[in-house]
Amino acid sequence: MSRRVKRPLRPAGDRPKGARPYRGSAAERPQSSRPGGKPARFPASAPRAPKPFVPEPEKVVVEPPPLPTKVQTVVVTADENNMRVDRFLEARFPGLSFSHIQRIVRKGELRVNGKRADSKDRLEEGQSIRIPPLKLDTPKGAGPLSEAATKTLKALKEMIIFEDADVMVLNKPAGLAVQGGSGITRNVDDMLEVMRDAKGQKPRLVHRLDRETSGCLLIAKTRFAATALTGSFRHRSARKIYWALVAGVPKPKQGRISTYLAKEESEDDSIMRVAKHGDEGASHAVTYYAVVETSAQKLAWVSLKPVTGRTHQLRAHMAHIDHAIVGDPKYFNKENWALPGGLQNRLHLLARRIVIPHPRGGVIDVSAPLPPHMLQSWNLLGLEHDRFDPIENAPEE
């Protein structure tokens, strides 16, 4: 006969700075099924498979207004406070390509309170934004694809794990960049050029993943879907779950990490550092974590739910509580720590699942499998990748 077991909280001094435990309701907590009253780590029930997307009856929708062809001035709203300049433009004008956004910012055509701005600058409520005339990329001819474009299209189709008329979810492989940048020759944004429709509309990125992070990447196939999905991210109605392999075992095994993060630039690179409230460029970041399974107390498989979406948030937060993600070239800070034999020294972070309202009703709920290097590690360490994921019961804020 099983019984509920309450796990005592550890003294505050034993918990990592910035992390605190969370508990779900009694109904959410796993019950014991082991002799001697030792609590079972997971319920006996089989893992829950993602629910398939079942669309509701199609609603009458109105396409977003056309892009402005004259100079206009807009004011940053409360919902847009602290948004990056480039993401503000994407949200306001989903028809814009990434390259067009970068071009108008680089040329100084966009002004914030009369001054030039960088695409990564954060906006504040009430600021006045001067926006130059905008245009969609010129539709490309509907002629046959080149050999290179055909290969690109095939590669994209092999990544698709969900698709309908409005939305596409890719299982992005580790090592493929989402957008262009210095030293990047191939990225998802450029690859999507081969999927322009008859009207010249190119599928649009809705969010981003780090280059070495694999898993669920959401793509809008229409301007209407881009507007709706971007709004869901802005209002935090999208739920993202990540899996990672980390050094050591976090204590408590379920917790909340809350810090401020700010970018720290160096000659060779830039990282996100834990900052203080009020520091220049510092943004609040919140992550829930839960240990799913451990390996000899040296490694832990953790499930992560970011409430906010800061750059490198999960990687910086796990390093902050002294349990850096295995294979992280930027944030792994464990001295004299040897990688167990057989494990590849690559970032062990997967965008496992995304749950978000569908623009036309219903819910999109998609999960990505472990990438090859992580599946190899799971098999070598004897971790069961179909275990119940305790992070599902974590709060949403």
Side-chain angles (χ1 to χ4, degrees):
M1 181 175 178
S2 64
R3 63 184 179 88
R4 303 189 200 283
V5 177
K6 286 190 176 181
R7 186 174 299 175
L9 292 177
R10 296 174 60 89
D14 292 345
R15 294 196 295 271
K17 185 178 180 182
R20 63 179 177 83
Y22 73 85
R23 294 182 174 183
S25 65
E28 293 170 339
R29 291 195 290 273
Q31 295 180 334
S32 170
S33 58
R34 301 184 184 179
K38 188 175 180 180
R41 287 179 295 175
F42 307 94
S45 60
R48 289 175 287 176
K51 297 178 181 178
F53 165 61
V54 180
E56 295 179 353
E58 187 164 322
K59 302 173 183 177
V60 177
V61 296
V62 179
E63 286 281 324
L67 296 175
T69 56
K70 298 180 179 179
V71 173
Q72 66 170 348
T73 301
V74 299
V75 176
V76 179
T77 66
D79 286 341
E80 294 164 334
N81 185 55
N82 203 40
M83 285 184 73
R84 284 171 38 152
V85 168
D86 53 0
R87 294 182 181 176
F88 168 84
L89 288 170
E90 287 177 343
R92 286 271 185 142
F93 311 106
L96 285 178
S97 67
F98 172 74
S99 59
H100 189 41
I101 290 173
Q102 296 300 313
R103 185 164 59 250
I104 64 175
V105 172
R106 185 176 63 250
K107 290 183 176 180
E109 296 175 0
L110 180 137
R111 299 272 173 161
V112 178
N113 284 352
K115 298 179 180 179
R116 293 178 69 114
D118 187 85
S119 60
K120 296 179 181 179
D121 288 348
R122 299 278 175 175
L123 298 173
E124 297 178 6
E125 179 184 357
Q127 284 183 324
S128 175
I129 313 295
R130 176 198 181 274
I131 297 175
L134 303 174
K135 63 180 180 179
L136 291 169
D137 286 351
T138 304
K140 295 189 175 179
L145 294 175
S146 66
E147 182 179 349
T150 301
K151 289 182 180 179
T152 297
L153 182 60
K154 181 182 177 183
L156 283 170
K157 288 185 173 180
E158 288 175 350
M159 296 180 206
I160 296 172
I161 50 180
F162 171 85
E163 184 178 23
D164 65 14
D166 294 286
V167 183
M168 180 166 63
V169 181
L170 304 181
N171 178 20
K172 186 192 81 67
L176 175 62
V178 172
Q179 291 180 313
S182 177
I184 293 175
T185 57
R186 187 167 180 260
N187 63 81
V188 174
D189 193 38
D190 287 347
M191 292 173 72
L192 291 172
E193 288 286 349
V194 303
M195 299 187 84
R196 286 185 181 274
D197 62 18
K199 296 180 181 179
Q201 285 196 97
K202 169 189 167 184
R204 301 162 182 83
L205 300 169
V206 178
H207 69 123
R208 293 155 184 76
L209 296 176
D210 294 343
R211 183 175 183 173
E212 295 304 323
T213 301
S214 64
C216 296
L217 181 67
L218 190 64
I219 308 291
K221 296 174 68 175
T222 62
R223 289 184 63 197
F224 163 71
T227 301
L229 295 171
T230 301
S232 292
F233 275 97
R234 188 187 315 137
H235 298 295
R236 297 183 184 173
S237 53
R239 181 155 57 103
K240 296 180 289 182
I241 293 175
Y242 290 73
W243 282 359
L245 187 69
V246 304
V249 179
K251 296 179 183 179
K253 289 193 172 181
Q254 293 185 339
R256 176 180 185 268
I257 307 170
S258 174
T259 71
Y260 284 83
L261 295 175
K263 179 173 286 189
E264 186 173 88
E265 302 278 0
S266 66
E267 291 184 5
D268 303 322
D269 207 352
S270 64
I271 63 169
M272 300 302 289
R273 63 174 177 83
V274 173
K276 295 179 181 179
H277 179 42
D279 284 0
E280 183 179 356
S283 300
H284 190 215
V286 177
T287 301
Y288 286 93
Y289 72 86
V291 175
V292 184
E293 196 172 2
T294 64
S295 176
Q297 298 301 305
K298 184 174 183 179
L299 295 163
W301 161 16
V302 296
S303 187
L304 303 161
K305 181 188 283 188
V307 175
T308 52
R310 311 305 178 201
T311 302
H312 297 174
Q313 176 177 318
L314 302 180
R315 298 163 64 182
H317 268 174
M318 295 313 294
H320 173 61
I321 65 170
D322 201 30
H323 295 287
I325 298 174
V326 170
D328 191 333
K330 286 180 179 282
Y331 297 93
F332 198 91
N333 52 9
K334 308 281 287 184
E335 292 186 9
N336 302 319
W337 192 89
L339 188 71
L343 272 64
Q344 297 183 46
N345 190 23
R346 300 180 63 186
L347 182 68
H348 282 58
L349 180 61
L350 165 70
R352 166 65 176 173
R353 182 180 177 193
I354 188 163
V355 183
I356 190 170
H358 192 283
R360 299 185 189 272
V363 175
I364 301 167
D365 188 346
V366 185
S367 294
L370 289 168
H373 72 284
M374 289 179 68
L375 182 59
Q376 179 188 43
S377 298
W378 260 239
N379 290 335
L380 287 169
L381 298 170
L383 303 175
E384 301 174 20
H385 56 80
D386 58 352
R387 275 197 181 275
F388 167 74
D389 192 339
I391 203 69
E392 293 182 10
N393 298 328
E396 297 296 326
E397 56 184 56

